[in-house]
Amino acid sequence: MKRVYKLNTCLFFYNSYNPFHIYFYSFIHSNMPAMYHLFSILLLWLNCLSLVQPASLAKRGFSGDGTYYDVGPGSCGSFNGNDELVAALNHIQMGYSANPNNNPNCGRTALVTGPNGEKARITIVDTCPGCGYGSLDLSPVAYRALGGTIEAGRVHITWRWAD
């Protein structure tokens, strides 16, 4: 029962932006030392931040480099071609899966915007081990659709998950 109470206070704390309400409430309704309550509140607050951050990042989106590569068999277990709107997600965001074919990011779609406002819906089919956070390694047709030239080899992109 105490854990449920702490989760509720954590959510209340995050929404109220007033740490004194929770500290005062938990201090009055318990026989625990005040230092324990301060430490608990700090841990709950940090936990709330970690729960809230991914949703806000997903809404805001990501930015990085858009490069291109010769598409073939990918880490998601599919074989795709250079004429498809597909990409390899950077290894940091792709994460690790015991079976890469079952990675939850495989098959997800991203709405990608190029440097001049060009947009494309790209499907994730592979992992890019050399790409930095926020970057995508695109098929040649996807790279050109976003305004990239083969000679340049790299464009700045922004993107967000479509699903």
Side-chain angles (χ1 to χ4, degrees):
M1 191 68 171
K2 230 175 194 179
R3 288 187 181 178
V4 172
Y5 168 75
K6 286 182 179 179
L7 179 60
N8 289 339
T9 57
C10 176
L11 294 174
F12 175 74
F13 177 65
Y14 178 75
N15 289 329
S16 71
Y17 294 98
N18 189 346
F20 298 108
H21 286 177
I22 291 173
Y23 176 75
F24 184 72
Y25 186 82
S26 60
F27 182 69
I28 287 178
H29 292 85
S30 173
N31 295 326
M32 294 294 213
M35 194 55 128
Y36 170 79
H37 289 287
L38 287 174
F39 184 69
S40 296
I41 297 298
L42 177 64
L43 289 178
L44 289 171
W45 173 248
L46 291 174
N47 188 33
C48 284
L49 288 178
S50 68
L51 293 174
V52 171
Q53 187 177 9
S56 62
L57 282 176
K59 279 184 181 178
R60 187 175 66 226
F62 310 98
S63 66
D65 290 329
T67 53
Y68 69 93
Y69 75 114
D70 190 23
V71 181
S75 66
C76 292
S78 61
F79 188 89
N80 298 91
N82 289 334
D83 59 343
E84 298 178 65
L85 292 173
V86 296
L89 180 62
N90 66 79
H91 68 283
I92 303 160
Q93 288 178 280
M94 188 63 139
Y96 173 77
S97 180
N99 180 352
N101 297 337
N102 296 331
N103 189 308
N105 288 317
C106 289
R108 287 186 78 183
T109 56
L111 301 174
V112 185
T113 305
N116 298 317
E118 306 90 340
K119 297 182 185 302
R121 181 182 285 269
I122 309 292
T123 303
I124 303 299
V125 297
D126 201 356
T127 305
C128 177
C131 294
Y133 184 86
S135 297
L136 298 174
D137 208 4
L138 305 156
S139 66
V141 72
Y143 178 76
R144 285 192 296 272
L146 294 170
T149 61
I150 300 299
E151 297 78 32
R154 180 179 309 271
V155 294
H156 180 76
I157 59 167
T158 57
W159 63 277
R160 65 179 175 84
W161 293 115
D163 47 3

